[in-house]
Structures are given as structure tokens and as C-alpha cells.
Amino acid sequence: MKFTLAWLKEHLDTAASLEEITFALTDLGLEVEGVTNPAQGLAAFTVGEIIEATPHPGADKLRVCRVATGEGEAQIVCGAPNARAGIKVVVSRPGDYIPGLDLTIKVGKIRGVESFGMMLSEREMQLSDAHTGIVELPADAPVGARYIDVVPLDPVIEIAV
């Protein structure tokens, strides 16, 4: 059985740390099979804002986006149907590892247009199976902030049943 630390704390009035809780669960006879923290693999991702999204000159389903990041503007080619100007998104830069794709982003050309990063879906971040588009963040999310600071993710505890 899997549950998040936040869910457990909703049902249990405690200020105990994750380590104290897993020790207590084991002490009660529940075998803690593991604890995963989804934030660990997502620390490099930051908040960006799509400034402009224009059709790709060589592909109907792609858009060439100008994206504001904490390091300035970046051109990113994106195939997500919801890529449009004015939304805040999760951005990965060249050198970042994408866990859901098992690859490290590089500067590349997509149908002849350079792309300097990637805007991510939940599936690419291994948060869910959703892959219908890129993640849209709240409008007040500060550009350049770390994704995990804007959207805190709870550790997941797995116990044997």
C-alpha cells in the first residue's frame, strides 16, 4: 500500500518527521518497503513563461516557443497542444535529466529549428501517466523558481500488506 506523508498527517495529528514515522510504522509491525521522494529527481526543473508560441515552419503539430526563464529567454520547440503564450510551465534546460524519458536534454534541431530545452508533462516528470500536454503552473509562480519550491511534492511511503 502506498500513501503520501501529507495524507498520513491529515489522518494522524503529529509533527513527527518522516524518519520517526517510518520507524513507528515498523515498530507497529508494518513492514515499510520503501520511501520515495519525487522531488529528488525534479530539483533541476524551473518555472518558465511562454512569451510567444508560433507555428513551426516545417511541422503542423509543433510550435516554436519563446520562453522566459530565470536565465533569460530561450527558444523551445514543443509539440504539446496546450503550448500557448501567457502560461507558466515547467522547463528543463540542456544538461537536465528527464526521468520519464530516461534521457538528458541537449540543444538540438527539431525539423531544422533549434531548441534549447523542453517544457514538461507530468509523465515526463513521472508524477502521473498524463501526457496530453505540458504542465500549466499557477499564474503567480515566479519565473526562474525551482518547480519543487512552487509545487511541493510529498514523500511516498510504501508498506507491505
Side-chain angles (χ1 to χ4, degrees):
M1 177 165 102
K2 292 183 182 182
F3 51 88
T4 65
L5 180 60
W7 178 87
L8 183 64
K9 287 190 172 190
E10 280 179 29
H11 301 284
L12 181 66
D13 185 22
T14 182
S17 70
L18 176 62
E19 185 177 298
E20 292 169 327
I21 288 172
T22 57
F23 179 80
L25 289 169
T26 303
D27 200 40
L28 289 169
L30 298 170
E31 180 185 347
V32 176
E33 291 186 337
V35 176
T36 55
N37 188 347
Q40 288 176 325
L42 308 178
F45 305 145
T46 59
V47 175
E49 181 175 5
I50 300 177
I51 299 167
E52 180 180 57
T54 58
H56 189 289
D60 292 340
K61 293 187 179 184
L62 297 177
R63 300 187 67 71
V64 179
C65 300
R66 195 163 44 99
V67 181
T69 71
E71 299 172 345
E73 289 184 14
Q75 178 173 280
I76 300 176
V77 176
C78 183
N82 63 329
R84 64 188 185 284
I87 63 170
K88 301 282 180 81
V89 296
V90 182
V91 175
S92 65
R93 297 175 305 253
D96 291 347
Y97 176 75
I98 310 299
L101 298 176
D102 191 27
L103 69 85
T104 300
I105 292 294
K106 297 177 183 171
V107 174
K109 281 191 176 182
I110 301 174
R111 297 225 178 169
V113 176
E114 278 193 310
S115 185
F116 297 89
M118 184 174 178
M119 295 177 283
L120 302 171
S121 71
E122 288 186 1
R123 185 172 78 185
E124 290 156 345
M125 293 189 291
Q126 291 187 324
L127 297 176
S128 77
D129 291 331
H131 191 63
T132 57
I134 52 179
V135 172
E136 295 187 36
L137 297 173
D140 63 349
V143 170
R146 292 187 324 158
Y147 169 71
I148 61 173
D149 294 334
V150 172
V151 180
L153 301 169
D154 267 344
V156 177
I157 302 166
E158 183 173 3
I159 60 171
V161 287

